[in-house]
Amino acid sequence: MSTPQEIDEAAVSDLEPQDSASSALPASASDETDGRSASRRRALALGVAAATALLAPRRASAQRIVRPLTTRPAPPPASGDTLLRLVRRITNGVTEEELNLARSLGFQAYLEHHLNHEAIDDARVTDFVAANYPAVNQDVLQLYTQNQTTVQYALQDATLYRGAFSKRQLYERMVNFWSDHFNIYYPKVNYLKVVDDKDVIRKNALGSFPEMLKASAHSSAMLEYLDNTRSRANNVNQNYAREIMELHTLGVDGGYTQTDVEEVTRAFTGWTIQGRGGFRFDPTGHDFGAKTVLGNTIPAMPTSAGAQGVTDGERVLDILVAHQSTARFISYKMIRWLLRYDPPAALVDKVAETYTRTGGDIKAMIRVIMTPANLTAAPAMYRQPYHLMLASLRAAQPSVANVAALRDQLRNMGQYLFFWEDPDGYPHNTDWWGGLILQRWSFEAYLSARTGDVLGVDVTKFMTVSTANAIADSMNQLAFAGTMSASLKTRVAQYLAAAAISQTRVREAFGLALSSSEFQWF
Amino acid sequence: MSDIDHDGCDDGCTEFRQLSRRQVVGGMGAGLAGAYFSPIFPSWLPQVVLKESEDTTRDVIVSVFLRGGCDGLSLCVPFFDTNYYAGRPNIAVPRPDSGAANRGIALDNQFAFPQAMNALVPAFRAGQLLAVHATGSIDPSRSHFDAQRYMEVGKPADTTIATGWLGRHLAAVQPMRTNAGLRGIGISSGLQKQLVGAPKTIPIPDPSNFTIGGTASTRDSRESWLREDFGASAEPVRSAALDALTTIDLLQAIDFTGYRTANGAVYPNTTFGRGLRSAAALIKSDLGIEAISIDLSGWDTHSNQDPLAGSMYNTMLNLSGTLGAFHADVIASGLAQNVTVVVMSEFGRNARENGSMGTDHGRGNVMFAMGRNINGGRVLVNNWPGLAREQLDRSQDLKVTLDHRDVLAEIVRVRLGNPNVGVVFPDFTPTNRSVTK
């Protein structure tokens, strides 16, 4: 980790924290947020100053005084023109083909091309998935009869394959985002997650947030994962009620109380699943009494209302999607995903306003986030392992018969798909991922050495030229769309030149280019 | 889980299955006792070690975080409080003086371990395991993520601090061993927040498998290429990369597979058990590692908690079997290096069971400290707040009457030799609880 700051006595009197001052808030959502209020920071600075003073007596014996960091290092700047930055952000890795498309369409038309994902011809990938991973298109009754390991692998492998090779790259980026937002731990629900992936996440990833939330609330996988299937009148389980507010809509600082958790819990009593999967409202488990949720009264019903009791939960969903905290929280998280770790307050306001005006239209929100000015101002972000794997595959353009071997490679890098146990989804920050670097290098060494048809990387295409410099140029052009920095290209060439050039040597050089520091950021 | 089939489990359920099977075979230990003994005596082993350590007056700390909010009322049962039984008709651990086969194991005349924690009884009886009850964070959050964050950064309700308490501790003391290549490890697939900010500290999910892969003959040249390339990278990636490169050789010199435990200790063959077994090997190999952070999840028992035979029983078995083995292997083994283990969780759970024989998010909880210089063999309580409805936080939860930082701060100051407690726990004045001897 980062080295603590070394300071001398003179510096003790001038302890200003080093954090960025303009971050926007639902701090809760983020592990990267640096500040909520100036006064907080000042109080903290005083705390550190006082603490540092305690170190003084040790100076006599110690050679230096260290001041432990309380803030995190800034991410590196991003490079390239706005078009390249856009391609980086809305795809899982820049390719020559993708960059050419962007250049021919121009910024706005390229963004619209990806927002209009259904119009993009993706038959090759759709057919491959249908042929190799039929489970992802099946319903619960079919899924229930399958070998469950096969079903799990089908979802994981299809997700990897689509993420890397689908032409609908922005859509895949958002599928990734919502899969974490509405995280479900596969082993707790098994094949029900496959249905959730299809009917909740993929159906709505570039659609309407309220529709997606409602689909999630009716999803067997979610009801099972967060225990609502076990919540009955007078015998409640608060798990789903808490997380739908904390994680799915309002954010932890969104203004709800423990009483709201209890009331929302009551509203959702009786929301459960039937048979092998499918939403069912069970009136015998519902609490028909009056509830007050976030200041809104939901009147009592007679028990004889029966199936009408489901409207309590539906009312809660309407309250949540219309809430200003939801607009801000979802905006904040989308900006963190697509643009930068520290969303500026003004942009959160603007995107939230768009959410409210459009009724949670995800595409409209993305249009506000992905502007040339915003991209120019945004520093780089650190690739999660899944993203790194996809970017590597897009650079390598391997021949692929199946991606089964990659499943465990991803596990080794810390991101076995759909296996994050807690409902907050895989972390999206450099604190968590920044340390686990060796496993990334190991993966790139593995990938670049693949030959054959199952998963084969062809490096001879870089070798139509003979000198180390020319091969590095060729690699930069064909695999990295010309985006390598000059210094990286030089170092790749140096590695090539340090031994006789062979296919093995070129593979290693390619593996190093993928392992390089700059390829970890996007 | 209701009627859903578990065949699809890939690794989440492995532990459960392995544990279950071993129980059938006949209890922890017996089945696998021989598996960890290598016929070849590893060259770096055994008790040699640590003589070379430059500072053995400071303890190594192992911090175990129980993710999900463990039910402290099952882990350390207040059997003397009749409201415990009144509120938990289906999931209570029977009194130690009852005739039930699965009755609690009395620790004193108030508290008991459930049978699943039996493997920790020797450490407790040896006076080296301290349980602290009705403790936790003073922050009232019942959100897993806020509560974990505040505990790990060491300051409640402060969203501005990015670094963790262990991270700042390591940054505020001289290395125990000058030029140590690695001072802290998170046995995890990502760095836990409590370690963020620590110098020479990286996450290593499996210390026995730490390599950059590829052809052996070019390993050195590829490693130097990467060292140069990452030398200019942004933090925290730069330091992590350089520390990882330094560490490859250190870790590869250790024979984790052939590691021979002391006192016949046998770690459960679970991710957690293997993790602490690796931690023991790392500590004994004297690399200068000062802090190890490891997590055990599976404590968010909203339903079918079953501490007597079901899911929480198995999770506790994993915890106690692993910590019991670590106690025998490392703490009771006469190792020159002192080691202190702390175990905590983000919050406890409701005093009363919910409608699905589980418990929802609560407040006060139990935590543990274990070590030769821990003032153990007792359950430390700062005035038991009681479990009657009117005694509970929000009429639901055991109150917190002892800030968990009191326990940690004393360990940091006395056992970790760090007088700068204010750096580790900013704006906090700890109360002495005589946690250490």
Side-chain angles (χ1 to χ4, degrees), chain A residues 32 86 92 100 135 144 172 176 188 247 283 333-334 404 446 449 521:
Chain A
E32 293 275 343
L86 177 66
N92 285 310
N100 287 341
Y144 180 76
E172 292 297 329
N176 188 183
K188 184 160 176 179
L247 297 175
K333 280 193 73 175
M334 282 176 59
Y446 167 88
W521 301 85

Side-chain angles (χ1 to χ4, degrees), chain A residues 1 36 40 55 66 69-70 149 152-153 190 227 230 236-237 239 246 258 411 416 419 421 438 491 508 517, chain B residues 1 5 7-8 10-11 143 157 159 162-163 171 198 212 218 225 229 233 239 297 302-303 356 394 420:
Chain A
M1 295 306 299
R36 204 174 279 185
R40 267 265 171 80
L55 281 163
V66 295
L69 294 170
T70 57
T149 306
Q152 176 197 317
Y153 289 170
N190 287 299
D227 298 310
R230 301 171 185 89
V236 296
N237 189 307
N239 204 6
E246 174 175 340
Q258 176 64 20
R411 184 212 301 265
Y416 199 55
F419 268 63
E421 193 165 345
L438 194 71
R491 278 203 304 284
E508 289 188 346
S517 169
Chain B
M1 311 277 151
D5 194 325
D7 284 347
D10 194 284
D11 61 6
S143 149
T159 57
T163 53
I212 65 164
T218 58
W225 192 96
D229 185 74
S233 184
S239 292
S297 58
H302 285 277
S303 61
S356 29
R394 290 190 56 88
N420 309 304

Side-chain angles (χ1 to χ4, degrees), chain A residues 166-238:
Chain A
S166 170
K167 303 264 185 236
R168 300 166 177 174
Q169 282 284 298
L170 174 57
Y171 173 71
E172 292 297 329
R173 284 271 291 146
M174 294 310 290
V175 166
N176 188 183
F177 172 72
W178 296 118
S179 297
D180 280 323
H181 185 81
F182 291 106
N183 184 66
I184 289 170
Y185 177 55
Y186 194 96
K188 184 160 176 179
V189 305
N190 287 299
Y191 64 85
L192 295 177
K193 170 60 196 174
V194 177
V195 180
D196 187 277
D197 183 72
K198 174 161 57 88
D199 294 345
V200 178
I201 306 296
R202 288 186 173 271
K203 187 172 180 185
N204 299 291
L206 277 175
S208 142
F209 177 79
E211 289 306 311
M212 184 159 28
L213 180 76
K214 289 170 187 174
S216 174
H218 291 81
S219 159
S220 301
M222 188 58 81
L223 291 166
E224 177 69 13
Y225 174 54
L226 291 179
D227 298 310
N228 210 73
T229 50
R230 301 171 185 89
S231 189
R232 298 176 65 79
N234 302 318
N235 258 330
V236 296
N237 189 307
Q238 298 175 352

Side-chain angles (χ1 to χ4, degrees), chain B residues 97-312:
Chain B
D97 53 9
S98 76
N102 50 19
R103 63 185 178 271
I105 304 160
L107 300 174
D108 56 24
N109 59 11
Q110 297 187 310
F111 295 95
F113 273 164
Q115 288 294 330
M117 293 286 281
N118 189 32
L120 274 171
V121 170
F124 188 89
R125 300 273 185 250
Q128 294 173 340
L129 175 67
L130 172 72
V132 185
H133 223 318
T135 186
S137 170
I138 58 168
D139 185 85
S141 177
R142 286 170 175 80
S143 149
H144 291 297
F145 314 105
D146 266 9
Q148 288 183 20
R149 175 170 58 194
Y150 297 150
M151 267 196 163
E152 292 191 78
V153 303
K155 189 174 179 210
D158 191 321
T159 57
T160 66
I161 304 187
T163 53
W165 69 274
L166 268 177
R168 292 191 305 279
H169 159 66
L170 287 184
V173 292
Q174 294 287 351
M176 255 158 61
R177 184 189 175 109
T178 313
N179 301 327
L182 202 58
R183 296 181 61 198
I185 289 184
I187 300 183
S188 165
S189 61
L191 194 68
Q192 299 100 326
K193 191 166 284 292
Q194 53 188 324
L195 277 173
V196 169
K200 293 189 185 302
T201 295
I202 53 175
I204 301 180
D206 178 3
S208 68
N209 178 24
F210 200 68
T211 162
I212 65 164
T215 314
S217 61
T218 58
R219 202 188 96 184
D220 287 350
S221 54
R222 284 181 292 123
E223 283 185 23
S224 32
W225 192 96
L226 289 164
R227 187 170 286 114
E228 187 187 331
D229 185 74
F230 277 80
S233 184
E235 295 290 8
V237 181
R238 174 186 175 276
S239 292
L242 300 183
D243 293 342
L245 286 164
T246 309
T247 305
I248 293 172
D249 290 339
L250 293 176
L251 294 192
Q252 295 215 328
I254 299 174
D255 178 8
F256 287 97
T257 316
Y259 170 60
R260 184 173 173 277
T261 61
N263 289 330
V266 178
Y267 292 86
N269 190 18
T270 59
T271 304
F272 183 63
R274 289 189 299 270
L276 263 189
R277 182 171 171 274
S278 292
L282 285 166
I283 291 167
K284 291 188 189 179
S285 64
D286 193 25
L287 302 178
I289 289 172
E290 298 168 56
I292 296 172
S293 174
I294 185 167
D295 301 335
L296 178 60
S297 58
W299 301 98
D300 195 17
T301 49
H302 285 277
S303 61
N304 301 321
Q305 180 166 327
D306 195 355
L308 299 175
S311 82
M312 191 181 178

Side-chain angles (χ1 to χ4, degrees), chain B residues 165 342 344 367 404-412 425:
Chain B
W165 69 274
V342 293
M344 69 197 102
M367 72 181 286
H404 75 288
R405 291 173 299 174
D406 288 345
V407 177
L408 298 180
E410 186 178 333
I411 288 169
V412 165
F425 298 108

Side-chain angles (χ1 to χ4, degrees), chain B residues 62 267 276 279-280 283 321-331 339 341 370:
Chain B
V62 176
Y267 292 86
L276 263 189
I283 291 167
T322 299
L323 291 180
F326 189 82
H327 177 259
D329 183 20
V330 175
I331 291 171
V339 180
V341 181
M370 183 167 79

Side-chain angles (χ1 to χ4, degrees), chain A residues 38-57:
Chain A
S39 59
R40 267 265 171 80
R41 272 196 298 280
R42 205 129 301 159
L44 173 64
L46 286 173
V48 173
T52 307
L54 288 173
L55 281 163

